[in-house]
Amino acid sequence: MSRLALVTGGQRGIGAAISEGLLAAGRRVVASYAGNDAAAAEFTARTGIPCVKFDVSDFDACLAAVAKIEAEHGPIDILVNNAGITRDAMMRKQTREMWDAVIDTNLGSCFNMCKAVWEGMIERKFGRIVNIGSINGQAGQLGQVNYAAAKSGIHGFTKALALEGARYSITVNAVAPGYVDTEMVRAVPADVLEKIVARIPRGRLGTAQDIARGVVFLTADEADFITGSTLSINGGQHMY
Ligand code: CAA
Protein backbone atom coordinates (compact mmCIF):
# COMPACT_ATOMS: atom_id res chain seq x y z
CA MET A 1 0.00 0.00 0.00
CA SER A 2 1.20 3.53 -0.70
CA ARG A 3 2.56 5.75 2.08
CA LEU A 4 0.04 7.60 4.26
CA ALA A 5 0.61 11.32 4.85
CA LEU A 6 -1.03 13.57 7.41
CA VAL A 7 -0.90 17.29 6.67
CA THR A 8 -1.99 19.64 9.46
CA GLY A 9 -3.89 22.67 8.25
CA GLY A 10 -3.97 20.67 5.05
CA GLN A 11 -7.13 21.93 3.42
CA ARG A 12 -6.32 25.62 2.85
CA GLY A 13 -3.46 27.77 1.60
CA ILE A 14 -0.02 26.18 1.51
CA GLY A 15 -1.38 23.11 3.31
CA ALA A 16 -3.93 22.41 0.58
CA ALA A 17 -1.22 22.56 -2.08
CA ILE A 18 0.93 20.18 0.00
CA SER A 19 -1.96 17.71 0.40
CA GLU A 20 -2.70 17.82 -3.30
CA GLY A 21 0.98 17.58 -4.23
CA LEU A 22 1.44 14.49 -2.08
CA LEU A 23 -1.69 12.92 -3.55
CA ALA A 24 -0.45 13.60 -7.07
CA ALA A 25 2.85 11.94 -6.08
CA GLY A 26 0.97 8.75 -5.23
CA ARG A 27 0.63 9.06 -1.46
CA ARG A 28 -2.58 8.56 0.49
CA VAL A 29 -3.37 11.79 2.31
CA VAL A 30 -5.40 12.92 5.31
CA ALA A 31 -5.68 16.64 6.09
CA SER A 32 -6.41 18.16 9.47
CA TYR A 33 -8.18 21.45 10.06
CA ALA A 34 -9.17 23.54 13.04
CA GLY A 35 -12.54 25.10 12.41
CA ASN A 36 -13.54 25.97 8.87
CA ASP A 37 -16.06 23.18 8.16
CA ALA A 38 -17.21 24.69 4.87
CA ALA A 39 -13.67 24.92 3.46
CA ALA A 40 -12.94 21.36 4.60
CA ALA A 41 -16.10 19.97 2.97
CA GLU A 42 -15.36 21.82 -0.25
CA PHE A 43 -11.76 20.55 -0.21
CA THR A 44 -12.82 16.92 0.31
CA ALA A 45 -15.46 17.17 -2.41
CA ARG A 46 -12.91 18.59 -4.84
CA THR A 47 -9.93 16.33 -4.05
CA GLY A 48 -11.28 13.23 -2.31
CA ILE A 49 -8.85 13.91 0.56
CA PRO A 50 -10.54 13.29 3.93
CA CYS A 51 -10.35 16.08 6.51
CA VAL A 52 -10.24 15.54 10.27
CA LYS A 53 -11.08 18.33 12.70
CA PHE A 54 -8.95 18.86 15.80
CA ASP A 55 -6.94 21.56 17.52
CA VAL A 56 -3.21 21.01 16.95
CA SER A 57 -2.37 23.10 20.02
CA ASP A 58 -4.23 20.59 22.24
CA PHE A 59 -1.90 17.69 23.14
CA ASP A 60 -4.61 15.19 24.05
CA ALA A 61 -6.64 16.05 20.96
CA CYS A 62 -3.59 15.34 18.79
CA LEU A 63 -2.99 11.94 20.39
CA ALA A 64 -6.65 11.01 20.01
CA ALA A 65 -6.84 12.21 16.39
CA VAL A 66 -3.70 10.33 15.34
CA ALA A 67 -4.98 7.13 17.01
CA LYS A 68 -8.29 7.46 15.16
CA ILE A 69 -6.66 8.21 11.79
CA GLU A 70 -4.30 5.24 12.18
CA ALA A 71 -7.17 2.93 13.16
CA GLU A 72 -9.06 3.95 10.01
CA HIS A 73 -6.28 4.38 7.46
CA GLY A 74 -3.23 2.57 8.85
CA PRO A 75 0.10 3.92 10.09
CA ILE A 76 1.14 7.48 9.32
CA ASP A 77 4.42 7.40 7.39
CA ILE A 78 4.63 11.10 6.54
CA LEU A 79 3.75 14.00 8.84
CA VAL A 80 3.71 17.58 7.62
CA ASN A 81 3.37 20.11 10.43
CA ASN A 82 1.94 22.98 8.46
CA ALA A 83 -0.86 24.41 10.63
CA GLY A 84 -0.08 27.94 11.73
CA ILE A 85 -1.59 31.29 12.58
CA THR A 86 -0.47 34.90 12.83
CA ARG A 87 -1.34 37.45 15.50
CA ASP A 88 0.79 40.33 14.25
CA ALA A 89 1.33 43.48 16.32
CA MET A 90 4.31 45.56 17.28
CA MET A 91 5.72 44.68 20.71
CA ARG A 92 4.00 47.67 22.29
CA LYS A 93 0.64 46.21 21.28
CA GLN A 94 1.41 42.49 21.60
CA THR A 95 -0.49 40.78 24.39
CA ARG A 96 0.30 37.66 26.34
CA GLU A 97 -2.74 36.03 24.68
CA MET A 98 -1.37 36.76 21.19
CA TRP A 99 2.00 35.33 22.21
CA ASP A 100 0.49 32.16 23.70
CA ALA A 101 -1.84 31.53 20.76
CA VAL A 102 0.97 31.66 18.21
CA ILE A 103 3.52 29.71 20.25
CA ASP A 104 0.98 26.98 21.10
CA THR A 105 -0.47 26.65 17.62
CA ASN A 106 2.68 27.00 15.53
CA LEU A 107 5.35 25.44 17.76
CA GLY A 108 3.51 23.45 20.44
CA SER A 109 1.70 21.65 17.63
CA CYS A 110 5.00 20.28 16.29
CA PHE A 111 5.73 18.68 19.64
CA ASN A 112 2.17 17.36 19.96
CA MET A 113 2.00 15.84 16.50
CA CYS A 114 5.53 14.42 16.47
CA LYS A 115 4.94 12.87 19.87
CA ALA A 116 1.77 11.25 18.54
CA VAL A 117 3.47 9.56 15.56
CA TRP A 118 6.97 9.05 16.94
CA GLU A 119 6.76 5.60 18.60
CA GLY A 120 5.03 4.13 15.55
CA MET A 121 7.67 5.49 13.20
CA ILE A 122 10.43 4.08 15.43
CA GLU A 123 8.76 0.66 15.50
CA ARG A 124 8.40 0.60 11.72
CA LYS A 125 11.84 2.14 11.19
CA PHE A 126 10.52 4.64 8.71
CA GLY A 127 9.26 8.19 8.89
CA ARG A 128 9.27 11.45 7.00
CA ILE A 129 8.52 14.60 8.98
CA VAL A 130 8.51 18.07 7.47
CA ASN A 131 7.89 21.11 9.64
CA ILE A 132 6.88 24.33 7.95
CA GLY A 133 9.05 27.14 9.25
CA SER A 134 9.26 30.61 7.77
CA ILE A 135 11.62 33.21 6.42
CA ASN A 136 10.42 35.28 9.36
CA GLY A 137 11.77 32.65 11.75
CA GLN A 138 15.13 32.92 10.00
CA ALA A 139 15.30 36.68 9.58
CA GLY A 140 12.78 38.19 12.01
CA GLN A 141 9.96 40.52 11.00
CA LEU A 142 8.36 43.69 12.27
CA GLY A 143 5.25 42.97 14.31
CA GLN A 144 6.04 39.27 14.69
CA VAL A 145 7.96 38.55 17.88
CA ASN A 146 5.53 35.72 18.56
CA TYR A 147 5.51 34.24 15.05
CA ALA A 148 9.27 34.64 14.51
CA ALA A 149 9.98 32.99 17.87
CA ALA A 150 7.67 30.07 17.06
CA LYS A 151 9.07 29.56 13.57
CA SER A 152 12.64 29.93 14.76
CA GLY A 153 11.81 27.35 17.42
CA ILE A 154 10.61 25.02 14.68
CA HIS A 155 14.00 25.22 13.00
CA GLY A 156 15.78 24.18 16.23
CA PHE A 157 13.18 21.51 16.99
CA THR A 158 13.72 20.05 13.52
CA LYS A 159 17.47 19.71 13.93
CA ALA A 160 17.24 18.16 17.39
CA LEU A 161 14.58 15.64 16.38
CA ALA A 162 16.51 14.78 13.21
CA LEU A 163 19.40 13.65 15.38
CA GLU A 164 17.09 11.38 17.36
CA GLY A 165 15.35 9.96 14.29
CA ALA A 166 18.42 9.24 12.18
CA ARG A 167 19.11 5.78 13.61
CA TYR A 168 15.53 4.71 12.81
CA SER A 169 15.45 6.02 9.21
CA ILE A 170 13.14 8.81 10.26
CA THR A 171 14.07 12.06 8.54
CA VAL A 172 13.03 15.40 9.99
CA ASN A 173 13.40 18.49 7.84
CA ALA A 174 12.02 22.00 7.63
CA VAL A 175 10.78 24.04 4.71
CA ALA A 176 11.03 27.79 5.21
CA PRO A 177 8.63 29.59 2.88
CA GLY A 178 9.02 33.23 2.07
CA TYR A 179 5.99 35.37 1.25
CA VAL A 180 3.44 33.20 -0.51
CA ASP A 181 0.17 34.30 -2.06
CA THR A 182 -2.24 32.99 0.59
CA GLU A 183 -4.95 34.47 2.80
CA MET A 184 -2.37 34.93 5.58
CA VAL A 185 -0.20 37.16 3.42
CA ARG A 186 -3.15 38.94 1.84
CA ALA A 187 -4.07 40.04 5.39
CA VAL A 188 -0.88 42.17 5.52
CA PRO A 189 -1.73 45.86 4.91
CA ALA A 190 -1.34 46.62 1.19
CA ASP A 191 1.29 49.34 1.64
CA VAL A 192 3.39 47.05 3.85
CA LEU A 193 3.06 44.13 1.45
CA GLU A 194 4.22 46.36 -1.38
CA LYS A 195 7.43 47.09 0.54
CA ILE A 196 7.94 43.37 1.21
CA VAL A 197 7.44 42.29 -2.42
CA ALA A 198 9.86 45.01 -3.53
CA ARG A 199 12.54 43.16 -1.54
CA ILE A 200 11.97 39.76 -3.19
CA PRO A 201 14.68 39.31 -5.84
CA ARG A 202 12.45 37.00 -7.88
CA GLY A 203 9.98 39.91 -8.08
CA ARG A 204 6.82 38.09 -7.07
CA LEU A 205 5.07 36.34 -4.21
CA GLY A 206 5.52 32.59 -4.08
CA THR A 207 2.72 30.21 -4.93
CA ALA A 208 1.51 27.49 -2.59
CA GLN A 209 2.68 24.99 -5.23
CA ASP A 210 6.21 26.40 -5.02
CA ILE A 211 6.26 25.27 -1.40
CA ALA A 212 4.45 21.97 -1.95
CA ARG A 213 7.09 20.89 -4.46
CA GLY A 214 9.76 21.08 -1.75
CA VAL A 215 7.68 19.07 0.69
CA VAL A 216 7.02 16.32 -1.86
CA PHE A 217 10.77 16.15 -2.54
CA LEU A 218 11.70 15.86 1.15
CA THR A 219 9.09 13.21 1.91
CA ALA A 220 10.07 10.79 -0.86
CA ASP A 221 11.41 7.39 0.19
CA GLU A 222 14.53 8.28 -1.81
CA ALA A 223 15.20 11.37 0.37
CA ASP A 224 16.64 9.12 3.08
CA PHE A 225 19.96 10.98 3.38
CA ILE A 226 18.41 14.44 3.77
CA THR A 227 17.70 15.13 7.42
CA GLY A 228 17.99 18.10 9.77
CA SER A 229 18.01 20.45 6.82
CA THR A 230 16.04 23.58 6.06
CA LEU A 231 14.90 24.13 2.50
CA SER A 232 14.32 27.87 2.00
CA ILE A 233 11.80 28.64 -0.74
CA ASN A 234 11.54 32.42 -0.86
CA GLY A 235 12.44 33.80 -4.27
CA GLY A 236 15.92 34.73 -3.06
CA GLN A 237 14.67 37.09 -0.34
CA HIS A 238 16.78 35.61 2.43
CA MET A 239 19.61 33.15 1.96
CA TYR A 240 20.35 31.19 5.06
N1 CAA B 1 8.19 45.45 6.22
C1 CAA B 1 8.48 46.77 6.04
N2 CAA B 1 7.90 47.74 6.75
C2 CAA B 1 6.96 47.37 7.65
C3 CAA B 1 6.61 46.04 7.89
C4 CAA B 1 7.27 45.07 7.13
N3 CAA B 1 7.00 43.77 7.28
N4 CAA B 1 5.67 45.99 8.86
C5 CAA B 1 5.45 47.27 9.21
N5 CAA B 1 6.21 48.10 8.48
C6 CAA B 1 6.26 49.56 8.56
C7 CAA B 1 4.95 50.22 8.06
O1 CAA B 1 4.96 50.36 6.66
C8 CAA B 1 5.03 51.53 8.78
O2 CAA B 1 5.96 52.36 8.13
P1 CAA B 1 5.78 53.96 8.10
O3 CAA B 1 5.78 54.38 9.55
O4 CAA B 1 6.96 54.41 7.30
O5 CAA B 1 4.46 54.18 7.41
C9 CAA B 1 5.62 51.14 10.14
O6 CAA B 1 6.33 49.92 9.93
C10 CAA B 1 4.56 50.90 11.22
O7 CAA B 1 3.61 49.98 10.67
P2 CAA B 1 2.04 50.24 10.74
O8 CAA B 1 1.70 51.68 10.49
O9 CAA B 1 1.38 49.22 9.85
O10 CAA B 1 1.79 49.95 12.31
P3 CAA B 1 0.54 49.26 12.97
O11 CAA B 1 0.80 49.25 14.45
O12 CAA B 1 -0.73 49.84 12.43
O13 CAA B 1 0.58 47.72 12.44
C11 CAA B 1 1.59 45.61 12.03
C12 CAA B 1 1.72 46.97 12.71
C13 CAA B 1 0.36 44.85 12.58
C14 CAA B 1 2.85 44.82 12.32
C15 CAA B 1 1.39 45.79 10.51
O14 CAA B 1 2.35 46.71 9.99
C16 CAA B 1 1.57 44.50 9.77
O15 CAA B 1 0.66 43.68 9.72
N6 CAA B 1 2.77 44.31 9.18
C17 CAA B 1 3.09 43.11 8.44
C18 CAA B 1 3.81 42.12 9.34
C19 CAA B 1 4.17 40.95 8.51
O16 CAA B 1 5.00 41.03 7.60
N7 CAA B 1 3.55 39.79 8.76
C20 CAA B 1 3.78 38.64 7.98
C21 CAA B 1 2.47 37.95 7.75
S1 CAA B 1 2.61 36.63 6.58
C22 CAA B 1 3.43 35.45 7.38
O17 CAA B 1 3.76 35.53 8.52
C23 CAA B 1 3.74 34.23 6.57
C24 CAA B 1 5.18 33.98 6.50
O18 CAA B 1 5.66 33.03 7.10
C25 CAA B 1 6.05 34.83 5.64
Side-chain angles (χ1 to χ4, degrees):
M1 213 178 340
S2 58
R3 302 278 186 203
L4 177 67
L6 172 60
V7 182
T8 67
Q11 96 295 11
R12 286 204 297 157
I14 290 174
I18 293 170
S19 296
E20 291 180 71
L22 289 169
L23 189 71
R27 315 297 166 32
R28 293 173 299 127
V29 182
V30 176
S32 88
Y33 72 106
N36 193 331
D37 294 323
E42 185 277 325
F43 181 73
T44 301
R46 186 167 60 77
T47 62
I49 295 171
C51 291
V52 181
K53 185 176 182 174
F54 62 96
D55 177 356
V56 291
S57 72
D58 178 336
F59 181 65
D60 292 331
C62 291
L63 295 189
V66 165
K68 190 159 180 285
I69 290 165
E70 295 200 320
E72 277 175 33
H73 300 274
I76 293 168
D77 306 299
I78 300 167
L79 170 66
V80 183
N81 284 310
N82 163 77
I85 59 170
T86 52
R87 295 287 182 272
D88 293 353
M90 299 295 194
M91 188 60 170
R92 300 177 78 176
K93 293 185 196 156
Q94 273 276 337
T95 64
R96 180 69 207 198
E97 287 70 29
M98 294 164 89
W99 169 267
D100 287 341
V102 170
I103 297 292
D104 292 350
T105 301
N106 297 12
L107 180 58
S109 60
C110 289
F111 177 81
N112 298 343
M113 293 303 298
C114 287
K115 188 80 182 160
V117 300
W118 195 244
E119 292 304 323
M121 287 183 174
I122 287 175
E123 261 168 43
R124 296 185 299 277
K125 296 211 168 17
F126 181 87
R128 296 282 179 266
I129 296 176
V130 175
N131 301 315
I132 304 300
S134 168
I135 188 172
N136 293 348
Q138 298 168 303
Q141 181 55 282
L142 288 162
Q144 286 203 312
V145 289
N146 51 1
Y147 187 89
K151 292 297 187 178
S152 182
I154 284 177
H155 293 300
F157 176 92
T158 298
K159 288 178 194 183
L161 195 60
L163 291 174
E164 293 193 24
R167 73 187 62 183
Y168 307 110
S169 303
I170 303 170
T171 67
V172 188
N173 291 289
V175 166
Y179 280 75
V180 175
D181 190 9
T182 59
E183 266 176 54
M184 185 183 272
V185 166
R186 283 193 286 272
V188 172
D191 56 323
V192 175
L193 191 57
E194 210 172 291
K195 286 187 193 173
I196 292 169
V197 175
R199 290 198 301 256
I200 303 174
R202 190 65 191 81
R204 65 167 175 88
L205 291 174
T207 66
Q209 288 72 24
D210 288 330
I211 310 306
R213 205 164 287 125
V215 175
V216 171
F217 171 74
L218 290 170
T219 53
D221 279 25
E222 296 75 15
D224 180 62
F225 205 58
I226 308 174
T227 195
S229 71
T230 297
L231 177 56
S232 297
I233 306 179
N234 59 35
Q237 192 182 349
H238 180 70
M239 300 181 193
Y240 183 73

